[in-house]
């Protein structure tokens, strides 16, 4: 019959238009290909790419407190040789960047570019720069460098360093070069400097926050035992709304101790020494919170590290304190953070689709000694990646690198 094809066509068209109406009205919704791929990549990034390691999802929970026993299990099941082989090409963790060092300045250079054999740097005005940075340094290429806050020692400085005060409006011929440093997120130049120091590789001289001088004179006792039930350490006394809200969201899902003024849940500001008396630096001296921060952190498997400002290359002591304490940082901050740190050393909170997913991963990791020990392998095995350059461009090495910059310009003879 001739009507049958017509009826079939009519029905097909009606179904097609009905489908379109439902789709555009939102009753039908299909995941996009890109969304599915992105979610798959995020899931892949949560677990070690080495399939021989126990899967956090599949392994039976194995609560542990002894860090050294976790290391021993990792050594027997994985080992340094395989870790170094896995990371020999740089950062291979999915979503962690390509191992590029463009975020870090090259250290060194042609010695023939130096115009002076000795440089005097005079640090001007009040500054947080530690006094024990004052020293006479023996640098590359036979260059010697005097860094001091004393005008009696540097009565004819080749450069004046300003950090909290503004350099002179003018520099006349024969005057010292004007150096200005700003390590805050904004990287604000004074507009009067000849050399600018910041945390960013694009500026004249870079100084990262990774140096030991940022936490000099503190108790470095590191506990080999981790809290079993309280997983996360958090401390903040600068209560920024955005950071507090983020911290509250993740900490509400994880057992934690919150020290400091923000979201405190330990009963006071100086409770760390009550919980961990071995962290006291000197019983004869009234303690300050920063005296024992590393020691207190070391008792926890994880430290929540949230930057005040999220901007490129702004990776501060908040992250490096946690790494130095032997904890695993849960980090929210610079999008290029992997350019500054060892491979497989942190949990990048931004790579998770939700706080619930992040919290589930942290809890699973806390009950898997081998997977947890993998986050410490960089320190034990020497697979440091870009972290070598991060330390090489830190405050610890700033005197020699600044003196080289002054020498290349000719110091007082610079035009």
């Amino acid at each position: 019959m001739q009507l049958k094809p017509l009826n079939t066509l009519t029905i097909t068209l009606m179904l097609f238009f009905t489908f379109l109406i439902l789709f555009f009205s939102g009753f039908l919704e299909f995941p996009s290909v890109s969304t599915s791929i992105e979610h798959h990549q995020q899931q892949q990034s949560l677990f070690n790419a080495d399939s021989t390691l126990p899967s956090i999802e599949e392994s039976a929970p194995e609560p542990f407190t002894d860090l050294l026993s976790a290391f021993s299990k990792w050594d027997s099941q994985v080992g340094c040789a395989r870790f170094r082989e896995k990371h020999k090409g740089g950062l291979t963790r999915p979503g962690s960047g390509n191992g590029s060092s463009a975020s870090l300045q090259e250290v060194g250079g042609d010695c023939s570019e130096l115009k002076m054999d000795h440089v005097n740097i005079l640090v001007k005005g009040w500054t947080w720069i530690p006094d024990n940075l004052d020293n006479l340094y023996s640098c590359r290429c036979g260059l010697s460098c005097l860094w001091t806050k004393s005008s009696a020692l540097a009565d004819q400085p080749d450069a004046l360093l300003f950090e909290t005060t503004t350099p002179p409006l003018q520099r006349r011929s024969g005057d010292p070069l004007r150096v200005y440093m700003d390590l805050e997120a904004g990287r604000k130049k004074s507009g009067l400097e000849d050399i600018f120091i910041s945390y960013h590789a694009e500026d004249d001289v870079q100084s990262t926050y990774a140096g030991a001088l940022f936490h000099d004179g503190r108790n470095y006792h590191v506990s080999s035992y981790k809290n079993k039930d309280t997983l996360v350490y958090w401390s903040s006394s600068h209560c920024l709304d955005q950071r507090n809200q983020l911290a509250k969201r993740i900490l509400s899902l994880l057992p934690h101790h919150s020290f400091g003024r923000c979201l405190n849940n330990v009963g006071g500001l100086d409770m760390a020494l009550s919980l961990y008396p071995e962290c006291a630096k000197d019983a004869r001296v009234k303690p300050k919170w920063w005296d024992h921060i590393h020691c207190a952190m070391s008792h926890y498997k994880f430290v929540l590290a949230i930057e005040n400002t999220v901007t490129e290359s702004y990776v501060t002591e908040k992250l490096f304190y946690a790494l130095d304490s032997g904890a695993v940082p849960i980090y929210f901050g610079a999008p290029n953070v992997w350019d500054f740190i060892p491979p497989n050393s942190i949990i990048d909170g931004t790579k998770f689709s939700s706080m619930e997913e992040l919290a589930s991963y942290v809890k699973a990791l806390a009950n898997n000694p081998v997977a947890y020990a993998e986050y410490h392998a960089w320190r034990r095995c020497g697979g440091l990646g870009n972290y070598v350059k991060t330390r090489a461009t830190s405050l610890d090495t700033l005197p020699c690198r600044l003196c080289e910059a002054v020498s290349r310009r000719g110091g007082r003879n610079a035009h």
Side-chain angles (χ1 to χ4, degrees):
M1 296 177 63
Q2 296 298 319
L3 292 177
K4 187 172 182 180
L6 180 61
N7 290 340
T8 302
L9 177 61
T10 302
I11 292 171
T12 301
L13 289 172
M14 290 175 64
L15 289 173
F16 175 72
F17 285 114
T18 301
F19 173 84
L20 288 178
I21 292 170
L22 289 172
F23 179 79
F24 286 110
S25 63
F27 285 100
L28 291 177
E29 184 176 349
F30 298 95
S32 68
V33 174
S34 61
T35 301
S36 299
I37 292 174
E38 181 181 0
H39 180 70
H40 175 70
Q41 289 175 338
Q42 287 175 341
Q43 289 295 100
Q44 287 292 100
S45 71
L46 303 186
F47 304 100
N48 201 303
D50 190 339
S51 60
T52 60
L53 284 175
S55 167
I56 295 178
E57 286 186 327
E58 297 174 359
S59 298
E62 189 179 349
F64 68 97
T65 58
D66 185 358
L67 187 61
L68 299 183
S69 68
F71 289 166
S72 180
K73 287 187 177 183
W74 184 85
D75 289 342
S76 64
Q77 296 185 34
V78 185
C80 286
R82 286 168 60 189
F83 178 82
R84 285 193 291 264
E85 176 66 22
K86 178 180 173 182
H87 295 286
K88 66 180 180 181
L91 299 176
T92 58
R93 182 186 176 98
S96 65
N98 58 8
S100 168
S101 59
S103 299
L104 293 161
Q105 289 182 348
E106 293 295 332
V107 177
D110 188 351
C111 292
S112 65
E113 296 178 353
L114 301 184
K115 300 176 182 178
M116 306 167 63
D117 296 326
H118 178 77
V119 172
N120 292 319
I121 304 289
L122 179 61
V123 181
K124 296 288 288 183
W126 179 90
T127 175
W128 57 264
I129 297 173
D131 291 342
N132 61 353
L133 201 60
D134 283 27
N135 207 345
L136 180 62
Y137 296 86
S138 178
C139 307
R140 291 185 331 110
C141 307
L143 176 68
S144 56
C145 171
L146 176 65
W147 174 294
T148 181
K149 293 181 178 179
S150 171
S151 58
L153 298 180
D155 60 310
Q156 293 185 333
D158 300 294
L160 303 175
L161 173 59
F162 301 87
E163 190 263 329
T164 56
T165 54
T166 305
L169 292 175
Q170 292 183 332
R171 176 184 172 267
R172 295 168 297 186
S173 177
D175 283 352
L177 290 172
R178 299 164 297 176
V179 182
Y180 186 70
M181 179 166 71
D182 182 12
L183 298 187
E184 295 298 329
R187 294 164 54 210
K188 295 180 180 178
K189 295 183 178 182
S190 69
L192 303 172
E193 67 280 325
D194 304 296
I195 298 174
F196 181 57
I197 302 171
S198 85
Y199 61 85
H200 203 285
E202 291 182 353
D203 294 314
D204 297 323
V205 180
Q206 183 178 27
S207 180
T208 68
Y209 282 80
L213 283 166
F214 273 103
H215 41 76
D216 184 66
R218 297 180 181 175
N219 186 334
Y220 270 83
H221 171 78
V222 174
S223 174
S224 62
Y225 288 90
K226 301 290 186 179
N227 290 338
K228 179 180 178 181
D229 299 319
T230 307
L231 300 181
V232 181
Y233 173 102
W234 159 254
S235 178
S236 176
S237 294
H238 191 192
C239 304
L240 301 174
D241 287 342
Q242 186 173 3
R243 185 171 61 177
N244 264 15
Q245 290 173 12
L246 178 58
K248 191 173 183 178
R249 287 172 59 198
I250 182 61
L251 293 177
S252 67
L253 302 171
L254 292 167
H256 66 280
H257 280 159
S258 179
F259 299 87
R261 286 195 295 270
C262 310
L263 308 178
N264 187 289
N265 72 343
V266 292
L269 298 179
D270 298 316
M271 294 302 294
L273 292 181
S274 299
L275 294 172
Y276 312 110
E278 69 273 20
C279 291
K281 180 183 175 184
D282 188 338
R284 299 166 297 178
V285 179
K286 183 178 179 180
K288 301 179 178 64
W289 67 267
W290 56 80
D291 292 336
H292 48 266
I293 185 172
H294 290 83
C295 178
M297 283 180 176
S298 73
H299 291 80
Y300 299 82
K301 292 178 181 176
F302 307 97
V303 169
L304 180 60
I306 306 175
E307 301 290 7
N308 295 351
T309 303
V310 176
T311 190
E312 181 184 88
S313 298
Y314 189 59
V315 184
T316 72
E317 76 284 352
K318 296 175 181 63
L319 175 57
F320 296 116
Y321 284 176
L323 287 176
D324 290 344
S325 73
V328 175
I330 303 170
Y331 182 73
F332 292 87
N336 60 335
V337 62
W338 288 101
D339 287 346
F340 294 86
I341 58 175
N344 205 71
S345 59
I346 72 168
I347 299 171
D348 186 348
T350 65
K351 299 302 180 184
F352 293 80
S353 61
S354 68
M355 290 297 173
E356 289 75 16
E357 185 181 58
L358 171 58
S360 295
Y361 177 73
V362 170
K363 290 176 181 177
L365 186 62
N367 288 321
N368 189 313
V370 174
Y372 182 81
E374 178 92 356
Y375 279 87
H376 297 269
W378 63 271
R379 186 188 297 107
R380 302 179 65 236
C381 303
L384 301 181
N386 285 340
Y387 191 51
V388 173
K389 291 186 67 176
T390 304
R391 295 299 295 255
T393 53
S394 72
L395 184 68
D396 297 355
T397 65
L398 180 61
C400 277
R401 292 184 295 112
L402 177 57
C403 280
E404 285 189 30
V406 172
S407 177
R408 280 193 291 270
R409 288 165 172 78
R412 288 173 172 266
N413 295 323
H415 298 295

